[in-house]
């Protein structure tokens, strides 16, 4: 059992001997295309801490890439899962139906910021939710074109991969990709493609969508526009408040389905239940996953009844979609978020992160930008603040340095020069500050090299 309250390194080296042995076994058994962030093999986890097979304890700022919002090994969550497992683990909703699927759908209908009557379908992953959202939008509009943003990440399956921006490693040599997909610039204010500065820019990035529909494309061609409210893998890019509302208005004017991808940003991560709520938007369709299952694989597509009901029976769904154990877990996650006010906890953690990172930005010239909402925060590293030349090498060194001292960090960004923070929302102030102390030490050490 984890009895520690913070990080604790006990092996002479990190990774330790057992981790190195397991890495060798993995090398002989697992496809090399499955990447890893660090040589870390988990023995157990609790709250915001992970203990590895060598008994080293780490403070986790990745949370399974934003999955463990409620923290690891929550007893109420575990008991709820066990209760469902004892009853039955699977029948397939298409063969023998069960209440957890319906009950979780009812909960999501009640909380999703979508206007009017809503409907829900479940899938197994964020990418699968995106695939189904695209299918549904095409079925509803009888059009094919999909517009997504530069810097986007929507998954690794074929439609999702096409909509994703970064070619290496995600799309390289996997073509041909999905046809009729188009890219427009994202609202990446730190690296504005129009060399403008908000708010004097006039939201040129949103205007680009409108001019594109008049020139290069036509509204009659485009089924949907999809965007993450905060771009995750792209580097936690937070758009101006008016940007998404402007994009929504363009969609509505042109009969285009407005899809918001909340896979990484949902379920209290940003200080609100959904990041969309920060921007006063009401999508036609939302995709959800990651934190919804608390570690079990489940995703959801939630949308207006008119759109969601356009596919006929059998046109969407799958064998494991909406597994009863995962649905039960999702209900417990929503309950824990509400009971423990994890939205407020996310705000509190985010305040500490941004304050500490802001202080580091004043101290270290290699920090170009600090951004984020709630406990979804990132720091972007540059070689020069004037040129903003990306500094990817230093992020690798910082992550490795922090890992050896018991802090799990992960990178992001289309230039791989961003470190993103996705801590479990149960992380203590002591753990947050320990992570920031180690980060500060790491930047100081790596900047001297």
């Amino acid at each position: 059992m984890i009895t520690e309250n913070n990080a604790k390194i006990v092996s002479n080296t990190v990774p330790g001997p057992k981790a190195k042995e397991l890495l060798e076994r993995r090398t002989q058994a697992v496809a090399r295309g499955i990447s890893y962030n660090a040589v870390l093999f988990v023995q157990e986890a609790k709250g915001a801490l992970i203990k590895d097979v060598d008994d080293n304890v780490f403070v986790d700022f990745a949370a399974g890439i934003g999955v463990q919002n409620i923290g690891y090994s929550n007893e109420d969550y575990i008991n709820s899962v066990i209760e469902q497992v004892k009853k039955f683990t699977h029948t397939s909703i298409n063969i023998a139906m069960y209440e957890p699927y319906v009950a979780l759908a009812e909960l999501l209908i009640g909380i999703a910021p979508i206007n009017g009557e809503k409907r829900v379908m479940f899938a197994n992953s964020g990418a699968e939710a995106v695939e189904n959202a695209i299918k549904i939008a095409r079925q509803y509009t009888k059009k094919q074109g999909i517009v997504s943003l530069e810097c986007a990440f929507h998954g690794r399956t074929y439609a999702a991969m096409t909509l994703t921006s970064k070619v290496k490693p995600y799309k390289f040599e996997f073509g041909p990709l999905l046809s009729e997909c188009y890219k427009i610039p994202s609202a990446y204010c730190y690296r504005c493609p129009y060399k403008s500065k908000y708010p004097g820019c006039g939201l040129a990035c949103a205007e680009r969508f409108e001019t594109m529909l008049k020139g290069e494309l036509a509204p009659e061609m485009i089924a949907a526009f999809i965007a993450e409210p905060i771009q995750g893998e792209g580097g936690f890019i937070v758009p101006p408040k008016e940007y998404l509302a402007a994009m929504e208005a363009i969609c509505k004017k042109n009969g285009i389905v407005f899809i918001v991808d909340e896979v990484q940003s949902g379920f209290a991560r940003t200080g609100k239940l959904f990041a969309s709520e920060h921007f006063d938007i009401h999508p036609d369709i939302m995709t959800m996953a990651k934190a919804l299952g608390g570690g079990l694989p489940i995703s959801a597509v939630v949308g207006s009844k008119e759109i969601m009901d356009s596919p006929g029976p059998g046109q969407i769904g799958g064998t494991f979609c909406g597994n009863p154990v995962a649905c039960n877990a999702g209900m417990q996650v929503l309950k824990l978020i509400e009971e423990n006010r994890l939205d407020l906890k996310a705000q509190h953690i985010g305040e500490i992160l941004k304050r500490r990172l802001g202080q580091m930005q004043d101290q270290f010239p290699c920090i170009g930008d600090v951004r984020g909402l709630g406990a979804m925060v990132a720091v972007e590293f540059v070689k020069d603040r004037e040129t903003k030349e990306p500094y990817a090498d230093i992020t690798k060194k910082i992550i490795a340095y922090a890992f050896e001292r018991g802090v799990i960090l992960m990178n992001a960004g289309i230039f791989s020069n961003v470190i993103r923070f996705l801590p479990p929302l149960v992380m203590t102030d002591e753990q947050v500050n320990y992570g920031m102390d180690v980060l500060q030490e790491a930047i100081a050490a790596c900047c001297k090299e």
Side-chain angles (χ1 to χ4, degrees), residues 279-295:
F279 302 99
D280 298 327
I281 56 174
H282 300 281
D284 297 310
I285 294 177
M286 295 175 67
T287 58
M288 309 170 186
K290 289 192 183 290
L292 173 60

Side-chain angles (χ1 to χ4, degrees), residues 360 364 366-367 381 398 439-448:
M360 292 180 218
F364 301 111
C366 60
I367 295 180
F381 291 90
I398 290 169
L439 176 67
Q440 185 168 355
E441 182 184 326
I443 296 173
C446 295
C447 280
K448 293 177 182 177

Side-chain angles (χ1 to χ4, degrees), residues 14 23 79 83 113 228 268 279 289 307 317 321 330 337 366 379 400 434 443:
V14 178
L23 179 63
N79 291 335
E83 181 182 345
E228 304 154 272
F279 302 99
I307 296 172
C321 293
I337 288 173
C366 60
V379 56
Y434 177 81
I443 296 173

Side-chain angles (χ1 to χ4, degrees), residues 332-343:
Q332 188 63 36
V333 166
L334 293 175
K335 181 180 179 183
L336 289 168
I337 288 173
E338 182 178 8
E339 288 180 350
N340 296 296
R341 292 308 308 268
L342 293 186
D343 55 339

Side-chain angles (χ1 to χ4, degrees), residues 116-315:
E117 199 172 350
K118 312 174 189 73
R119 291 293 184 269
V120 178
M121 70 154 289
F122 293 113
N124 303 300
S125 68
E128 205 173 327
V130 169
E131 296 274 345
N132 279 282
I134 296 308
K135 285 174 62 178
I136 292 166
R138 283 181 161 180
Q139 176 70 266
Y140 174 69
T141 62
K142 310 305 180 189
K143 299 185 285 186
Q144 289 76 46
I146 310 295
V147 176
S148 63
L149 296 175
E150 294 175 359
C151 307
F153 182 86
H154 296 291
R156 291 180 174 89
T157 52
Y158 263 89
M161 178 173 62
T162 304
L163 301 172
T164 289
S165 187
K166 198 171 184 178
V167 172
K168 289 186 176 181
Y170 303 119
K171 298 193 284 189
F172 187 64
E173 295 182 336
F174 285 130
L177 303 177
L178 189 71
S179 63
E180 299 299 320
C181 290
Y182 307 92
K183 279 273 188 295
I184 58 175
S186 64
Y188 194 172
C189 292
Y190 181 66
R191 296 183 180 276
C192 177
Y194 301 101
K195 309 298 182 184
S196 298
K197 190 172 182 178
Y198 177 79
C201 62
L203 289 180
C205 45
E207 185 180 338
R208 171 60 181 151
F209 185 27
E210 195 150 31
T211 57
M212 191 177 188
L213 290 172
K214 294 176 180 177
E216 300 166 51
L217 303 172
E220 292 81 5
M221 298 169 59
I222 305 302
F225 166 72
I226 184 169
E228 304 154 272
I230 300 174
Q231 292 186 300
E233 174 68 12
F236 284 17
I237 299 166
V238 183
K241 183 177 176 62
E242 306 92 335
Y243 171 75
L244 288 171
M247 300 301 275
E248 179 184 9
I250 293 169
C251 287
K252 291 191 182 306
K253 183 171 71 174
N254 292 283
I256 295 169
V257 176
F258 181 47
I259 304 173
V260 171
D261 183 342
E262 289 265 12
V263 168
Q264 188 167 161
S265 58
F267 302 105
R269 169 57 54 188
T270 64
K272 292 184 182 291
L273 197 55
F274 296 104
S276 299
E277 298 174 72
H278 290 281
F279 302 99
D280 298 327
I281 56 174
H282 300 281
D284 297 310
I285 294 177
M286 295 175 67
T287 58
M288 309 170 186
K290 289 192 183 290
L292 173 60
L296 291 180
I298 186 170
S299 61
V301 183
V302 185
S304 71
K305 177 185 183 301
E306 182 182 7
I307 296 172
M308 292 294 293
D309 280 350
S310 55
Q315 290 196 297

